[in-house]
Amino acid sequence: MSTFEMTGAASAMATVVRGVRDDQLGGPTPCPAYRVGDLAEHVGGLTVAFVHAARKTDLPGEAGPGDAARLEDGWRDRVVADLDELVGAWQDADAWTGTTMAGPVEMPAPAAALVVLDELVVHAWDLAVATGQPYAPDPLDVAACQSFVDQFDPPEADGGLFGPPVPVAPDASPLDRLLGRTGRDPAWRPA
């Protein structure tokens, strides 16, 4: 597996994060378990976790599910700075060698890079659609994410890695196919 650039996906996520208003933090997202604030905090946490994965260092503390109660004043600036650090960490050639820990799972470093790319692309869409923001990921990032999720068997109806897939039209856009494969309805909008 070759290396790839995360700058575009991280930049797009940073734009979406900066566009989340305080009055939207309690709103729904396409991820039923997460409100907007919970998902924003999850993005911040996964960003830090994958900086450590790239550097092959231990993550201090335990990562938990996203929780808006952990969003501090200035959280947007912190998350954007952490996204910049994420890009820099994965630009180091050593990040792509050997194995690393992605949360509690040990995996080849290039696979961890695909996990974080998928998290950035899909969760940026989640946050963007939940907060009424435009979002247009790089087609190469979408293709890389699609190749990643296609490595897994579709989950059973009760869940699995991404949740049950959502059927999309055969001529759906690559992004819509990725969203459907990761358990999201591309037509989802907040009520």
Side-chain angles (χ1 to χ4, degrees):
M1 178 183 302
S2 63
T3 64
F4 52 85
E5 182 63 48
M6 288 189 203
T7 304
S11 177
M13 176 64 84
T15 298
V16 172
V17 163
R18 286 197 185 282
V20 175
R21 299 186 322 263
D22 287 344
D23 66 331
Q24 295 174 316
L25 294 175
T29 73
C31 305
Y34 287 133
R35 307 305 277 173
V36 169
D38 301 328
L39 187 55
E41 197 277 329
H42 171 68
V43 167
L46 76 87
T47 299
V48 170
F50 280 96
V51 167
H52 284 276
R55 294 179 178 154
K56 299 175 179 73
T57 56
D58 291 335
L59 181 64
E62 288 188 33
D67 184 352
R70 291 192 294 255
L71 292 175
E72 76 286 5
D73 288 341
W75 66 269
R76 291 169 190 82
D77 292 334
R78 175 189 49 85
V79 172
V80 169
D82 289 344
L83 286 163
D84 288 342
E85 189 174 358
L86 176 76
V87 169
W90 284 98
Q91 287 175 336
D92 184 336
D94 289 341
W96 296 85
T97 62
T99 60
T100 191
M101 295 299 291
V105 179
E106 184 174 10
M107 64 179 65
L114 276 173
V115 171
V116 72
L117 182 67
D118 183 68
E119 292 278 319
L120 292 173
V121 169
V122 174
H123 284 325
W125 179 84
D126 292 332
L127 281 174
V129 72
T131 59
Q133 297 183 63
Y135 177 64
D138 184 304
L140 293 176
D141 291 344
V142 172
C145 292
Q146 187 70 52
S147 71
F148 167 68
V149 300
D150 284 347
Q151 296 175 42
F152 302 95
D153 291 331
E156 300 298 324
D158 64 345
L161 185 61
F162 304 107
V166 174
V168 297
D171 62 346
S173 72
L175 177 60
D176 286 356
R177 287 195 305 273
L178 174 64
L179 295 172
R181 186 65 171 80
T182 58
R184 288 149 173 87
D185 179 352
W188 186 92
R189 299 296 178 268

